[in-house]
Amino acid sequence: DAKTTQPPSMDCAEGRAANLPCNHSTISGNEYVYWYRQIHSQGPQYIIHGLKNNETNEMASLIITEDRKSSTLILPHATLRDTAVYYCIVRSPQGGSEKLVFGKGTKLTVNP
Amino acid sequence: EADIYQTPRYLVIGTGKKITLECSQTMGHDKMYWYQQDPGMELHLIHYSYGVNSTEKGDLSSESTVSRIRTEHFPLTLESARPSHTSQYLCASRSGTGELFFGEGSRLTVL
């Protein structure tokens, strides 16, 4: 699975959009970008995933660059409850290593 | 909401005790995983399974063992708990489209 790079921390004001970047320059053609978040010590929660087209669901939007070497998770109107560690992972949905590495992620703090 | 459950949520036991952490999912997923995570630290994969009768060790060496006799059940056992085993243990299963669904975790404290 391709390696990802994320900033260790970010701050965002409540009600504003939170834009979390992820670099995955070694991504291969069949690998998707997945985003998860972990609130405090709960189990990580799946947010969204995509291959090359932008994706949107009720939680967030995912913007993937045309060369697929980076992506941005967008929380359009961040709330205090969005404070969490956000993980970006790249892998093939069917294959890829089972030794899935979450890394350190980005700790997002939403401030009132 | 994901249908994956872990019990117990919290456990405090003495050194030398045998413990089993339970993990069950009702989604019919073949692939299941156990991660270990200390507070504020990264998740480390300790065991995974491709399906019934399949178990593999993950990246982080662990003295625990797992079994997969049924698709929905993936218990983790520590034969003789030690204080170094104090941690949070997270179970997950993987859908056919690659998403991981996690349980709420079992927080183990060994005195």
Side-chain angles (χ1 to χ4, degrees), chain A residues 34 36 38 41-44 46 49 87 91-95 98-104, chain B residues 31 33 35 37 42-43 45 48 50 57 59 88 90 94 96-100 102-103 107:
Chain A
Y34 293 82
Y36 294 82
Q38 188 173 26
S41 58
Q42 298 177 20
Y46 164 79
H49 75 282
Y87 300 99
R91 67 171 300 143
S92 168
Q94 296 300 330
E98 296 304 330
K99 296 184 179 182
L100 188 60
V101 176
F102 274 74
K104 296 183 178 180
Chain B
K31 295 180 180 177
Y33 309 81
Y35 287 84
Q37 186 179 36
E42 298 177 47
L43 290 101
L45 180 67
Y48 59 99
Y50 290 107
K57 289 191 179 295
D59 276 336
Q88 176 164 249
L90 291 156
R94 182 179 170 193
T97 48
E99 303 100 279
L100 287 177
F102 282 82
R107 187 175 296 280

Side-chain angles (χ1 to χ4, degrees), chain A:
Chain A
D1 299 325
K3 181 178 169 56
T4 62
T5 304
Q6 299 177 253
S9 64
M10 292 184 65
D11 283 273
C12 177
E14 187 178 19
R16 303 297 295 270
N19 299 300
L20 293 96
C22 179
N23 288 321
H24 31 80
S25 58
T26 61
I27 191 170
S28 61
N30 65 343
E31 289 182 319
Y32 284 63
V33 181
Y34 293 82
W35 282 85
Y36 294 82
R37 73 179 182 183
Q38 188 173 26
I39 296 174
H40 195 43
S41 58
Q42 298 177 20
Q45 176 190 24
Y46 164 79
I47 300 173
I48 198 168
H49 75 282
L51 181 63
K52 55 183 178 180
N53 297 320
N54 298 338
E55 301 287 344
T56 296
N57 63 20
E58 66 277 6
M59 291 181 68
S61 294
L62 174 60
I63 308 298
I64 302 174
T65 58
E66 194 167 340
D67 63 6
R68 301 208 325 120
K69 293 184 177 182
S70 65
S71 60
T72 301
L73 179 76
I74 300 173
L75 307 178
H77 304 287
T79 70
L80 299 179
R81 286 178 290 183
D82 291 323
T83 292
V85 178
Y86 288 78
Y87 300 99
C88 167
I89 297 163
V90 170
R91 67 171 300 143
S92 168
Q94 296 300 330
S97 171
E98 296 304 330
K99 296 184 179 182
L100 188 60
V101 176
F102 274 74
K104 296 183 178 180
T106 295
K107 180 171 174 51
L108 174 70
T109 302
V110 180
N111 300 304

Side-chain angles (χ1 to χ4, degrees), chain B residues 23-91:
Chain B
C23 177
S24 296
Q25 50 98 3
T26 59
M27 297 172 282
H29 294 164
D30 286 324
K31 295 180 180 177
M32 295 188 72
Y33 309 81
W34 276 103
Y35 287 84
Q36 184 176 343
Q37 186 179 36
D38 293 326
M41 305 299 285
E42 298 177 47
L43 290 101
H44 293 286
L45 180 67
I46 52 175
H47 297 283
Y48 59 99
S49 167
Y50 290 107
V52 171
N53 294 325
S54 155
T55 61
E56 304 287 343
K57 289 191 179 295
D59 276 336
L60 182 67
S61 175
S62 174
E63 295 168 341
S64 58
T65 59
V66 292
S67 62
R68 190 86 184 277
I69 298 172
R70 303 198 316 265
T71 297
E72 61 271 22
H73 198 212
F74 190 39
L76 180 145
T77 298
L78 277 165
E79 290 292 334
S80 179
R82 295 205 300 271
S84 60
H85 297 141
T86 294
S87 189
Q88 176 164 249
Y89 294 85
L90 291 156
C91 179

